[in-house]
Amino acid sequence: MLSTYKNTLKLFVCVCISGLIFSCGSNKKSENAAAQFEESAEKINEVVQNEFKYPIPTSFQVSQLLQDANAAFILAITNPVENVDKYETQRAKALNLGIYGADLSYASTYNRKEETMELLKASKGLIDGLQISNVFTQSMADRIEGNIENKDSLISIISHSFYRTYAQLNQNGQDKLALLVVAGSWIEGLYITTQLAISSNYDERIMKIVADQKITAKKLAELCEKYKDDADVNSILPLIRFMNLVYDGVIEGANISKGQLLDILDNVEETRNDIVG
């Protein structure tokens, strides 16, 4: 479903890269050429990302709110990394890349180094399976390893990879898969938040985080409705529609009731467990 503008953008990227290669003639040192190429590639990447802007708040923002609310880190509510080998279809890879992305946000926000590295490894496997391996390069892996003790830098690097994944899928004409990644991430973020709301005995701060997903749920529903005839997207559409019905009863800026929370929890848990298998 690429528009004419998107095709033009892809052509622009190719032309820019070709021009860069031509300009780095044999009379220049190879390291200068590599540096120029990397700098130019980053600028091109910014253009692509501005066109394919990540459509909803990322799971990192939700994880930070949970940490600010003093919510606990509970590894058991994340998707075990051992599950990654089960995901064979493009639908399963895309949705679970979103799932692991939210888990990765959760772990790295809480500075859980070992879990972060394991989740990164699982995510890389799914990214490779979606044939966008240039998103997770050796350079990025080295940066992550070098910043594993620096939470702010680590979050910045991983967040950037989310944006690049979404942009790259759209650039490749895989906008449906890009949407599934976004949806999977939102589903897991909401699942984690509802689980923590229960385990905290309905802490009002965490309940408020659930309530504030109303705007995001509406935006995601609008995106998914555009693909309602697609079987993969339609498999999660009932969840998104139901969430909107529940959130219709929530006054914007207000909290949710225990009954509303339990309705959301039951529905998101069922859908999430179906995705992770």
Side-chain angles (χ1 to χ4, degrees):
M1 298 180 65
L2 284 176
S3 65
T4 301
Y5 179 80
K6 293 177 183 177
N7 283 322
T8 303
L9 180 62
K10 288 176 70 176
L11 179 60
F12 167 73
V13 170
C14 292
V15 169
C16 286
I17 292 176
S18 298
L20 178 63
I21 293 172
F22 179 78
S23 67
C24 297
S26 57
N27 61 325
K28 293 187 178 182
K29 294 182 179 180
S30 59
E31 59 266 27
N32 290 338
Q36 289 181 45
F37 182 87
E38 184 173 348
E39 181 182 355
S40 212
E42 281 298 313
K43 290 179 180 178
I44 293 167
N45 186 53
E46 287 179 13
V47 174
V48 174
Q49 287 184 45
N50 287 334
E51 168 62 16
F52 306 112
K53 188 176 180 180
Y54 203 83
I56 63 174
T58 68
S59 48
F60 264 116
Q61 291 162 282
V62 176
S63 294
Q64 189 60 60
L65 289 172
L66 289 172
Q67 188 179 52
D68 292 345
N70 295 320
F73 178 84
I74 304 175
L75 180 62
I77 61 178
T78 62
N79 186 17
V81 294
E82 294 80 12
N83 282 345
V84 71
D85 293 332
K86 299 192 303 185
Y87 308 132
E88 298 180 351
T89 66
Q90 293 294 87
R91 171 190 178 274
K93 287 183 173 71
L95 282 170
N96 281 284
L97 177 57
I99 295 282
Y100 281 126
D103 291 341
L104 180 58
S105 299
Y106 183 42
S108 56
T109 300
Y110 279 75
N111 209 28
R112 301 294 293 243
K113 301 179 184 64
E114 182 178 348
E115 290 87 349
T116 294
M117 295 308 296
E118 289 296 320
L119 287 162
L120 277 168
K121 181 179 178 181
S123 299
K124 182 183 184 306
L126 295 177
I127 287 173
D128 290 345
L130 291 170
Q131 298 181 334
I132 47 172
S133 55
N134 57 325
V135 168
F136 197 108
T137 62
Q138 185 58 48
S139 174
M140 177 185 167
D142 292 342
R143 289 175 65 201
I144 289 171
E145 186 174 356
N147 287 276
I148 195 66
E149 301 289 342
N150 187 330
K151 187 183 78 171
D152 290 341
S153 294
L154 187 63
I155 289 174
S156 176
I157 295 167
I158 298 172
S159 294
H160 184 65
S161 75
F162 284 174
Y163 300 140
R164 288 188 65 194
T165 297
Y166 182 77
Q168 191 69 47
L169 283 169
N170 274 284
Q171 184 191 358
N172 293 347
Q174 296 174 293
D175 39 349
K176 180 194 73 175
L177 292 179
L179 177 58
L180 291 177
V181 174
V182 171
S185 181
W186 181 77
I187 289 168
E188 182 75 344
L190 187 59
Y191 170 77
I192 289 173
T193 308
T194 53
Q195 293 292 320
L196 293 175
I198 296 296
S199 67
S200 69
N201 195 27
Y202 304 100
D203 185 299
E204 288 188 1
R205 295 168 297 177
I206 303 178
M207 296 277 279
K208 181 68 164 54
I209 296 171
V210 177
D212 288 345
Q213 291 298 303
K214 177 175 182 174
I215 297 174
T216 303
K218 181 179 179 180
K219 175 64 175 176
L220 189 58
E222 292 172 352
L223 292 170
C224 289
E225 289 292 349
K226 297 177 182 179
Y227 297 86
K228 63 183 178 181
D229 295 329
D230 180 89
D232 292 340
V233 175
N234 195 50
S235 67
I236 58 170
L237 194 50
L239 164 71
I240 309 300
R241 287 171 172 164
F242 180 80
M243 291 304 176
N244 272 299
L245 289 176
V246 175
Y247 279 118
D248 279 344
V250 177
I251 299 174
E252 191 169 328
N255 219 327
I256 61 173
S257 67
K258 290 183 180 179
Q260 289 170 325
L261 174 71
L262 292 174
D263 282 343
I264 291 173
L265 184 149
D266 289 344
N267 200 42
V268 76
E269 184 174 35
E270 180 181 353
T271 304
R272 182 264 188 188
N273 290 342
D274 179 66
I275 292 172
V276 303

